Amino acid sequence: VQLQASGGGLVQPGESLRLSCTASGFTLGDYAVAWFRRAPGKEREAISCIDDSDGYSQYFYADSVKGRFTLSRDNAKNTAFLQMRSLKPEDTAVYYCAARRGSGSWNSWQYDYWGRGTLVTVSS
């Protein structure tokens, strides 16, 4: 059972990146998915999650990324994505995807599976 996050890199302010989170050994569509990030010198923060517990997908975003980041999921590929637009230097962080049974949550301790993390650097 594994989650693999990928897609990070170095970009300039205002540019875009798409992160991927691919599951192996389990069906990602049966799990709530979230993205977290840890910026240098800061605590890990939740930035987005999907909640399907009410029978339909609800997407939640932290204020810091709302309107710029979009979380999506392709069940056929067993993969979730985080599309990031209008990136800012303060978005520089290691990004992690996570999955859990049940409803989406902002609490990292509730997640069962974690990807390894992918580094996003936004700098001119």
Side-chain angles (χ1 to χ4, degrees):
V1 174
Q2 189 176 8
L3 278 177
Q4 180 66 49
S6 61
L10 172 63
V11 296
Q12 295 189 346
E15 293 186 339
S16 300
L17 268 180
R18 189 176 78 160
L19 305 183
S20 299
C21 176
T22 300
S24 57
F26 67 103
T27 302
L28 192 60
D30 293 338
Y31 287 69
V33 175
W35 286 91
F36 294 79
R37 69 183 181 186
R38 176 172 284 160
K42 295 188 176 181
E43 299 282 324
R44 181 169 52 191
E45 65 169 329
I47 56 172
S48 184
C49 68
I50 298 174
D51 182 1
D52 298 316
S53 60
D54 290 333
Y56 60 95
S57 295
Q58 299 181 78
Y59 298 85
F60 300 92
Y61 300 93
D63 288 343
S64 57
V65 305
K66 196 173 295 182
R68 300 187 298 121
F69 290 13
T70 304
L71 194 159
S72 62
R73 176 155 58 189
D74 185 335
N75 290 336
K77 296 181 178 179
N78 217 26
T79 299
F81 302 97
L82 185 69
Q83 178 67 53
M84 306 185 294
R85 298 181 176 86
S86 302
L87 283 161
K88 305 175 182 179
E90 52 264 43
D91 294 318
T92 295
V94 178
Y95 285 71
Y96 301 88
C97 61
R100 69 180 298 263
R101 283 284 195 182
S103 59
S105 170
W106 290 117
N107 298 316
S108 60
W109 58 269
Q110 292 184 301
Y111 284 83
D112 303 308
Y113 304 120
W114 287 84
R116 204 172 188 180
T118 184
L119 175 63
V120 173
T121 303
V122 185
S123 175
S124 55

